[in-house]
Amino acid sequence: MENTLFTVNNVWMMICTALVFLMHLGFSLLEIGLTRQKNTINILFKNVFIISIGLVLYALVGFNLMYPGSFILGIIPDYFFDLFGLSIPENGLTAEYASGGYTYWTGFLFQGMFAATAATIVSGAVAERIKLGAFMVFSIFYIGIVYPITGSWKWGSGWLDELGFYDFAGSTLVHSVGGWAALVAVWLLGARIGKFKKDGSIGAIPGHNIPLATAGVFILWLGWFGFNGGSVLSANPGSTSLVLVTTCIAAASGGLAAFFVSLFKHKQYDLSMFLNGVLGGLVGITAGADLMSVTDSIFIGFIAGTLIVLGVGFIDSMKLDDPVGAIAVHLICGIWGTLAVGIFGSMAGWGQFGIQLIGVLSVGVFCLVSAYTIIKILKSTVGIRVSLEEEQDGLDIHEHGMDAYPDFRLNQH
């Protein structure tokens, strides 16, 4: 019986790993759909690079940084000076490992899928004007060092875990980690040509393929069943089914809220707001998906969807250009979802709210400083923005020498 349960748990975790992997396709389609045709290959290239380098870096350094076993001064993982490679423990492939939830290899691969997500969030925010080489260097440092260190503070039994901070699947530890970096990158990079006009008005730069963006959001919604469902770390029927329900309800509520608020504010049925509202609801529920009731999930999702509409408008008013709304979705809703643990659900209370706020602020400061340092060095050395000509012509032609949608014509004889 024990071996059967161990097998079932491990198979569920592997299915969830595959669903989280599928989310990278969803991110890719969402980003290319909400941006212009001339930059499609560039965005796809970045997303393929992120998952590829992310897995290799997580195997070489990230996994040990994130789960070090002990810390220096309670903050820095002690593997920081001895961290290369993976070393399977003696019981790593048996039910004695991880309370019979999964094997060492399954645990590594599941967490590795999470690691790449933080840089993917940044990819969408800086789309259409960042140098590919600079972005790749940034991704290496951010995925390889920054993400696993912040993750270790909670998931690696670090100081935030000891404090009582709660983040079930990463509203802060994944989404706002990427969101803080996106905020810094957008600020240092500057807006796309034509986004903000001299008279102070905002220039509309519509995406070239909303059907692809819609497909991307549905794939992300599906993938979130693995993102949150796998974070139960077993196939426990009660816990898993609750998490899937709260995740799905919050997504639906977030989408509806963004739709209604956007309709009230702009008097239009805005599909892009609806889509980002769904994602905002998903990000918002991620910190406490295992703690919430259906009613809690509706409230959390509805507030997240409202924050999407208000957040996108606020970011535009600050003259920050985020083509896909990544900052509103992942940073603002990531913060909201983390704080919601202290407001709704079984852990609600002022004490827990204060602890959640400490977690949000500490991760925020570390990520802001880290992202600013990395990007500022790149900006001062190799540069981070493409030339005027490259931006106007499109990055696909200049950086990749090809077109995502070549015009095939029959040869005339």
Side-chain angles (χ1 to χ4, degrees):
M1 181 65 183
E2 181 180 346
N3 287 334
T4 300
L5 182 60
F6 173 57
T7 300
V8 170
N9 286 337
N10 198 67
V11 169
W12 167 245
M13 287 293 294
M14 288 190 285
I15 292 172
C16 289
T17 300
L19 288 172
V20 179
F21 177 81
L22 191 63
M23 290 176 71
H24 292 277
L25 172 61
F27 279 121
S28 299
L29 296 181
L30 175 64
E31 289 175 34
I32 65 173
L34 293 180
T35 53
R36 288 169 291 186
Q37 173 181 330
K38 62 186 180 181
N39 299 305
T40 299
I41 291 175
N42 183 260
I43 291 170
L44 294 175
F45 189 97
K46 285 190 294 182
N47 278 274
V48 175
F49 174 79
I50 286 167
I51 185 64
S52 300
I53 196 67
L55 287 171
V56 172
L57 287 173
Y58 203 65
L60 291 177
V61 296
F63 193 59
N64 284 337
L65 268 179
M66 200 160 173
Y67 300 96
S70 60
F71 293 80
I72 301 170
L73 302 177
I75 297 176
I76 304 172
D78 64 0
Y79 270 105
F80 196 79
F81 302 105
D82 183 23
L83 49 77
F84 291 100
L86 297 172
S87 179
I88 187 169
E90 184 177 347
N91 63 347
L93 301 180
T94 70
E96 296 177 19
Y97 182 79
S99 301
Y102 49 89
T103 69
Y104 175 86
W105 295 125
T106 300
F108 156 74
L109 197 58
F110 180 70
Q111 297 298 339
M113 295 302 169
F114 276 55
T117 302
T120 301
I121 293 166
V122 183
S123 170
V126 300
E128 303 201 283
R129 75 270 200 207
I130 195 169
K131 286 184 177 180
L132 181 58
F135 177 81
M136 290 193 293
V137 172
F138 163 79
S139 299
I140 289 170
F141 284 100
Y142 209 70
I143 297 173
I145 299 176
V146 178
Y147 168 77
I149 288 180
T150 55
S152 74
W153 294 351
K154 164 60 184 176
W155 293 336
S157 303
W159 72 277
L160 279 179
D161 188 54
E162 294 178 358
L163 187 65
F165 176 72
Y166 197 83
D167 190 356
F168 174 66
S171 286
T172 281
L173 297 176
V174 177
H175 295 283
S176 75
V177 166
W180 289 117
L183 179 64
V184 172
V186 165
W187 172 51
L188 290 176
L189 192 59
R192 292 169 294 172
I193 299 169
K195 176 63 177 179
F196 301 110
K197 300 180 180 180
K198 292 181 180 180
D199 62 2
S201 63
I202 299 172
I205 304 179
H208 85 280
N209 199 321
I210 300 303
L212 279 184
T214 304
V217 169
F218 275 113
I219 291 171
L220 285 167
W221 193 341
L222 172 65
W224 234 284
F225 291 145
F227 198 90
N228 286 359
S231 294
V232 174
L233 303 181
S234 76
N236 180 283
S239 299
T240 301
S241 57
L242 171 64
V243 166
L244 296 185
V245 168
T246 57
T247 297
C248 207
I249 292 294
S253 179
L256 289 172
F259 152 51
F260 286 125
V261 173
S262 177
L263 179 63
F264 175 79
K265 186 177 180 182
H266 303 294
K267 305 299 186 293
Q268 290 183 326
Y269 296 94
D270 191 331
L271 177 58
S272 64
M273 283 295 183
F274 205 153
L275 296 174
N276 271 335
V278 168
L279 297 180
L282 289 165
V283 172
I285 197 63
T286 291
D290 62 330
L291 306 174
M292 304 302 170
S293 68
V294 169
T295 305
D296 294 332
S297 304
I298 292 173
F299 279 119
I300 290 171
F302 195 88
I303 294 172
T306 303
L307 288 172
I308 288 294
V309 181
L310 301 179
V312 168
F314 174 73
I315 291 163
D316 280 344
S317 72
M318 298 298 292
K319 297 295 186 288
L320 297 172
D321 182 14
D322 178 0
V324 302
I327 297 172
V329 170
H330 299 281
L331 177 56
I332 294 176
C333 290
I335 292 171
W336 157 240
T338 305
L339 297 179
V341 171
I343 303 173
F344 299 97
S346 57
M347 294 182 69
W350 284 111
Q352 187 63 43
F353 182 86
I355 293 171
Q356 297 299 106
L357 182 59
I358 290 172
V360 167
L361 294 176
S362 60
V363 170
V365 169
F366 181 74
C367 290
L368 283 172
V369 172
S370 300
Y372 179 84
T373 302
I374 297 168
I375 299 171
K376 186 65 175 178
I377 290 173
L378 289 169
K379 185 174 182 178
S380 301
T381 53
V382 298
I384 59 174
R385 182 151 185 159
V386 299
S387 68
L388 176 64
E389 180 187 6
E390 289 173 320
E391 184 174 349
Q392 289 178 329
D393 293 344
L395 305 184
D396 289 359
I397 294 299
H398 284 277
E399 292 201 315
H400 305 277
M402 61 179 69
D403 187 348
Y405 306 100
D407 185 12
F408 292 105
R409 291 187 177 93
L410 294 175
N411 290 326
Q412 300 297 320
H413 295 286

